[in-house]
Amino acid sequence: MKDNRNILVTGGAGFIGSHTVVELINKGFNPVIVDDFRNSEAKVLKGIKAIVGQDPIMRFVDVTNKEQLKAVFEEFSFSGIIHFAAYKAVGESVAKPLVYYRNNIDGLLNCLELAEEFKVLNFVFSSSCTVYGEPKGTKIVTELSEMQEANSPYGATKQMCERIISDVHKSGSKMRMLNLRYFNPVGAHPTGNIGELPIGRPNNLIPYITQTAAGLLNELTVYGNDYNTNDGTCVRDYIHVVDLAEAHIKGYEWLNNLSEPRTETINVGTGNGTSVLEIIHTFEKVSNQSLNWKFGPRRDGDVEEIFADTSKAQELIGWNADRTIEDAIADAWNWEKKRRDE
Ligand code: UD1
């Protein structure tokens, strides 16, 4: 008999994974983290414990190693899988495409093969707005917007993984699968116990800003000021990581209540576009300090402007984002300061 509460969370020590594990425990689920800390740190487990009051269950596993992963399926009886574990740096994927294809595709295949073998029916996949590429025409994308060619091998892995999931569904699988297309996840847990832990120099905007403000980096470079946007800088849909974690819970509960096999795809964003300059100004307001920054050339592969139409998430799983960009930046800044004090 399956324990309905047991959920495998691959990459559960990562940024989005750790916040989702907290929300799963808060809702009475038993998440089992598998991770090998290649892009995270063991101390995140202490951070989770500080929030929920219990040690999370964790197995040190490389998801691309099927034997290791299988041992976890033998140990626990899962009713579902949330599959986060993957590489996610756009620039690195251009430099190391084989590493990205091997890791991101193998991880998914192992999860789906083991789900089939162990009859695990619910599957949530971490996809990304990167699957849309550079949107043609309107910058607000719905799940039906045409996918353009991916801008990077990273984006291509997400498109391919969605394709694999769709093909598995069409083959007559009994599984219920949900692709969550994240826009730009930012922020940290409001307690400051967990947050984003970039290894080395951050690629993403918000950790770059908070590390610059904390004095670890000299100056932020804004990549390009000649885009066809309100202020010339790129526009994104930044979503608070706790809102995103809650979308996983809502999505998972929705899947678990389905009586038939199904595959769906949902945008997970706020519906609001914010420019890089607006982010800098919000940071300066929220932190009450000025940031060292300058304009630089465009970054290869950057999309000019994209944000989510979120109506499907609202209609299908009853989810929408509650937190503002100010909340997200304040929480990211609180986290940056707190972890420097440790
Ligand atoms: C991209 C992908 C996203 C993916 C994420 C993973 C797109 C549209 N988005 O996010 O799906 O999950 O990578 O890492 O493909 N910026 C600066 N200076 C910096 C850093 C960033 O100006 O030092 C600007 C970028 O040019 C961009 C914005 O800040 O306009 C956000 O950048 P970033 O945080 O790296 O995320 P995306 O590239 O949007």
Side-chain angles (χ1 to χ4, degrees):
M1 186 56 190
K2 284 199 185 293
D3 184 335
N4 247 345
R5 295 170 311 146
N6 283 355
I7 301 180
L8 175 69
V9 185
T10 74
F15 175 44
I16 307 168
S18 58
H19 289 81
T20 302
V21 164
V22 164
E23 298 309 316
L24 284 168
I25 294 173
N26 284 342
K27 284 272 190 252
F29 289 102
N30 284 332
V32 174
I33 298 173
V34 303
D35 209 301
D36 63 2
F37 301 131
R38 73 176 67 181
N39 203 13
S40 57
E41 292 177 32
K43 70 180 181 199
V44 75
L45 304 176
K46 281 196 198 140
I48 294 173
K49 184 179 183 185
I51 300 169
V52 299
Q54 67 185 69
D55 280 312
I57 304 170
M58 148 91 201
R59 295 291 177 269
F60 190 91
V61 162
D62 168 0
V63 293
T64 66
N65 181 323
K66 195 169 173 188
E67 287 315 304
Q68 279 183 16
L69 191 58
K70 186 170 180 177
V72 185
F73 280 77
E74 281 161 349
E75 183 181 357
F76 299 92
S77 171
F78 294 116
S79 69
I81 301 169
I82 304 182
H83 178 48
F84 292 105
Y87 290 141
K88 59 154 196 173
V90 174
E92 185 184 55
S93 78
V94 176
K96 301 178 187 167
L98 293 177
V99 171
Y100 269 68
Y101 287 112
R102 170 67 70 194
N103 186 63
N104 292 6
I105 308 294
D106 270 3
L108 176 77
L109 292 176
N110 286 344
C111 285
L112 288 177
E113 284 173 356
L114 289 166
E116 212 160 72
E117 186 177 338
F118 287 82
K119 303 195 171 24
V120 182
L121 289 184
N122 301 312
F123 190 80
V124 179
F125 175 64
S126 289
S127 190
S128 165
C129 71
T130 197
V131 300
Y132 295 111
E134 176 83 58
K136 285 204 180 124
T138 174
K139 305 300 181 185
I140 178 156
V141 289
T142 76
E143 293 78 359
L144 296 175
S145 295
E146 199 187 331
M147 284 191 198
Q148 307 300 327
E149 193 181 333
N151 280 17
S152 66
Y154 159 73
T157 69
K158 293 295 175 188
Q159 288 182 342
M160 207 172 288
C161 286
E162 287 197 8
R163 170 72 196 259
I164 291 169
I165 288 169
S166 162
D167 287 344
V168 168
H169 174 74
K170 286 184 197 151
S171 73
S173 161
K174 292 198 169 58
M175 290 180 75
R176 306 175 288 227
M177 298 182 277
L178 181 62
N179 299 310
L180 297 181
R181 290 183 182 159
Y182 313 149
F183 281 67
N184 284 59
V186 292
H189 199 269
T191 59
N193 288 308
I194 53 173
E196 201 166 356
L197 271 176
I199 302 208
R201 207 179 179 82
N203 293 304
N204 296 111
L205 179 62
I206 303 290
Y208 211 103
I209 289 179
T210 58
Q211 290 197 14
T212 303
L216 279 102
L217 300 168
N218 285 338
E219 170 176 66
L220 169 79
T221 302
V222 174
Y223 298 136
N225 60 347
D226 57 352
Y227 285 100
N228 186 22
T229 58
N230 281 348
D231 61 22
T233 65
C234 292
V235 170
R236 297 284 183 276
D237 185 337
Y238 295 91
I239 172 159
H240 196 300
V241 65
V242 176
D243 277 329
L244 180 53
E246 287 171 358
H248 289 78
I249 315 301
K250 285 264 167 79
Y252 186 84
E253 286 173 337
W254 176 80
L255 280 182
N256 199 31
N257 284 328
L258 291 174
S259 47
E260 306 227 304
R262 189 152 162 188
T263 296
E264 286 289 349
T265 299
I266 294 177
N267 282 342
V268 190
T270 65
N272 302 315
T274 309
S275 73
V276 178
L277 285 185
E278 285 168 336
I279 292 284
I280 293 174
H281 296 145
T282 307
F283 176 80
E284 290 182 326
K285 194 175 88 193
V286 163
S287 67
N288 206 18
Q289 70 178 77
S290 67
L291 186 77
N292 223 358
W293 67 272
K294 63 164 197 260
F295 284 125
R298 291 181 175 198
R299 179 171 71 175
D300 278 349
D302 260 340
V303 164
E304 181 169 86
E305 176 167 8
I306 185 167
F307 52 101
D309 181 315
T310 60
S311 34
K312 186 171 174 190
Q314 174 64 46
E315 282 156 24
L316 200 67
I317 64 169
W319 173 89
N320 55 269
D322 289 332
R323 295 161 181 86
T324 64
I325 187 68
E326 284 82 8
D327 296 334
I329 291 177
D331 288 335
W333 181 227
N334 177 43
W335 155 250
E336 183 71 55
K337 287 185 296 183
K338 188 167 168 179
R339 78 192 183 99
R340 299 291 158 213
D341 294 343
E342 277 167 3

